[in-house]
Amino acid sequence: MPEVPDTLSLSQVLDGMGVQLAVSLQDLRRLEAVCLEMLPAENRSELQGFDRIMQVLGQLAQGCEKLSLESGVKDLHVGRRIVDELTLEEMRQRLVGQTSRSCVEPGDVELF
């Protein structure tokens, strides 16, 4: 079994964060669509909070991607322990640069 390094490239972690944020943004868009379908037209304005959250996630995803490409970040490393302590395996895999399922199936919940 290959040895797992104690540190991770900050660039890799930022890139993984950007990917995870983009995936979460897509999940939120699907959730918003379901909510819009279920609510009567007169109550749909209550969902405007989704738009703000989606803007924040989108901008954070873009920012992480751009930061991961910065030359000064490529040489920095962070302790792997920070990522290993995350409870969602999907996030851990993305942050260490491993492939992960593209999305969680509806009703699929990790217990920890």
Side-chain angles (χ1 to χ4, degrees):
M1 184 173 193
E3 187 174 318
V4 177
D6 290 338
T7 62
L8 296 167
S9 161
L10 181 57
S11 176
Q12 177 182 322
V13 172
L14 286 169
D15 184 58
M17 286 174 66
V19 170
Q20 182 62 53
L21 287 164
V23 167
S24 295
L25 176 59
Q26 292 304 317
D27 291 343
L28 187 58
R29 283 187 176 133
R30 283 190 293 274
L31 181 59
E32 180 191 37
V34 169
C35 290
L36 283 170
E37 280 181 34
M38 302 305 245
L39 279 177
E42 62 271 8
N43 293 343
R44 289 186 180 167
S45 64
E46 299 295 325
L47 297 179
Q48 288 180 340
F50 275 112
D51 293 331
R52 170 128 170 74
I53 296 168
M54 287 188 289
Q55 287 177 356
V56 168
L57 288 175
Q59 289 183 20
L60 285 171
Q62 289 175 359
C64 285
E65 181 183 349
K66 289 177 182 176
L67 282 171
S68 75
L69 300 173
E70 286 288 314
S71 60
V73 172
K74 292 186 185 257
D75 296 329
L76 296 175
H77 284 74
V78 295
R80 185 184 178 101
R81 173 187 53 79
I82 296 166
V83 174
D84 289 341
E85 290 175 356
L86 296 173
T87 57
L88 291 175
E89 182 179 0
E90 173 187 6
M91 284 180 50
R92 282 193 310 270
Q93 288 176 345
R94 283 198 177 97
L95 293 181
V96 298
Q98 296 175 349
T99 341
S100 177
R101 289 189 291 169
S102 60
C103 68
V104 177
E105 296 298 320
D108 189 8
V109 176
E110 280 191 41
L111 301 175
F112 46 90

